[in-house]
Amino acid sequence: MASMSFSLSRFSKLASKTTLSPDFDHSPRRTFLPPNRVSLKISSAIDSEPDLSVTVNGLKMPNPFVIGSGPPGTNYTVMKRAFDEGWGGVIAKTVSLDASKVINVTPRYARLRTGSAKTDVIGWQNIELISDRPLETMLKEFKQLKQEYPDRILIASIMEEYSKTGWEELIDRVEQTGVDALEINFSCPHGMPERRMGAAVGQDCALLEEVCGWVNAKATVPVWAKMTPNITDITEPARVSLKSGCEGISAINTIMSVMGIDLKTLHPEPCVEGYSTPGGYSYKAVRPIALAKVMNIAKMMKSEFSERDCSLSGIGGVETGYDAAEFILLGSNTVQVCTGVMVHGYGHVKTLCAELQDFMKQHNFSTIEDFRGHSLQYFTTHTDLVRRQKEAIEQRKAERRGLKSDKDWTGDGFVKETESMVSN
């Protein structure tokens, strides 16, 4: 389609100033070692730490951990803190042309607990909107951050109403600050859809294709489309976004939810003057859902877009480096963390990196690419699972029945082989 030419045009501009990463390749390159063998691995003083650096759409990051768009990227001070602590990249809170239309309420968060302790929080809901700070203020801070951290990756999250000229103006003004890439918010589940923004676009593939065409015709930096999970088949908007020229997919944004009802007051949470509205659900409890969505997108990308330098940024309930490893095993190039930062702070990235490196050491992985997408090969249909189990049962039965031919006898296993053919 015509929008593909937009991507190719921008791709040639990007190629002149960056070296792009290899094609999206999920072929297995390592064999997982059994735990008992892993534990026997001998280390030496000259062993080097696994390399966490990644190159995504030509953007080089020291590690795959990226601050997800939201409160942790809301102003210069917090984004600077993220870079100082060592995050691989920062995606700023979503901006639009007219911040005066963005009016937040308080309280705007609610938590789901399994007990009374702080560590018992498993779910987090928000009814927060995009940035309520003037666009010009955010643009000045983007520019300042890029001047102070020219080698760090700063990504602007943008959203605009259904207006071609509006999108073009926003992209132009944001790119002038020197940001490295754009993440297009097609997925905010509350507030913004009422203005044909956010999930209202991401849930309508015809509208999504049109807006992606506008965006990719104008943008000169890599574009990631952020997907909503509040849709029947998430691969459909992801496919449309990539076909329309986007270089990457981010998934997932928050899940539409009602956190609960206070059984004393009979009012919903979070409660604002006695009322509430459905909002976005995140944190640990959403991770299994996020993993399934990421797996589906990754398999689609591998099947249909393997010839392009397309990327996938996994989001949803990442609290540990081991959680991140699961997203990477399912094809993610980077892993975004938002609620986890709100719970643990910016310094948590050090723990995330250490845990991811620990996982890599256990399996003798040297780089992220050594295991990215490795586990995709183990997903199949239920019909195929039935077939595989039937064949395995038949094989085990055959083995219990003993040797099929005299040529199968071995010296080492002679006694066991004899016993396998005794009936009593």
Side-chain angles (χ1 to χ4, degrees), residues 171-217:
I171 292 169
D172 183 59
R173 293 177 67 182
V174 170
E175 283 196 0
Q176 287 182 33
T177 67
V179 297
D180 300 284
L182 302 174
E183 183 179 78
I184 315 301
N185 189 338
F186 292 133
S187 49
C188 184
H190 49 266
M192 313 317 290
E194 299 161 13
R195 295 165 52 195
R196 296 190 80 181
M197 301 169 73
V201 181
Q203 293 169 332
D204 184 334
C205 285
L207 190 60
L208 177 66
E209 182 177 17
E210 183 177 20
V211 175
C212 278
W214 300 341
V215 170
N216 289 300

Side-chain angles (χ1 to χ4, degrees), residues 1 9 32 34 40 83 96 103 156 212 259 276 282 302-303 320 329 341 343 357 365 383 386 398 415:
M1 63 183 64
S9 174
F32 280 19
L40 293 177
F83 284 139
S96 62
I103 303 174
C212 278
M259 182 53 76
S276 191
S282 61
K302 181 180 179 181
S303 172
T320 72
L329 284 164
V341 180
V343 174
Q357 285 183 318
F365 294 137
T383 299
V386 172
V415 174

Side-chain angles (χ1 to χ4, degrees), residues 307-332:
E307 298 303 315
R308 285 178 51 192
D309 179 41
C310 297
S311 65
L312 177 57
S313 189
I315 317 168
V318 173
E319 188 179 36
T320 72
Y322 306 106
D323 298 336
E326 294 185 55
F327 279 91
I328 298 170
L329 284 164
L330 291 180
S332 296

Side-chain angles (χ1 to χ4, degrees), residues 249-277:
I249 298 294
S250 299
I252 59 174
N253 206 328
T254 52
I255 301 170
M256 182 65 84
S257 65
V258 171
M259 182 53 76
I261 305 296
D262 185 320
L263 296 182
K264 293 181 180 179
T265 67
L266 309 186
H267 293 284
E269 300 287 355
C271 190
V272 180
E273 310 302 333
Y275 293 82
S276 191
T277 187

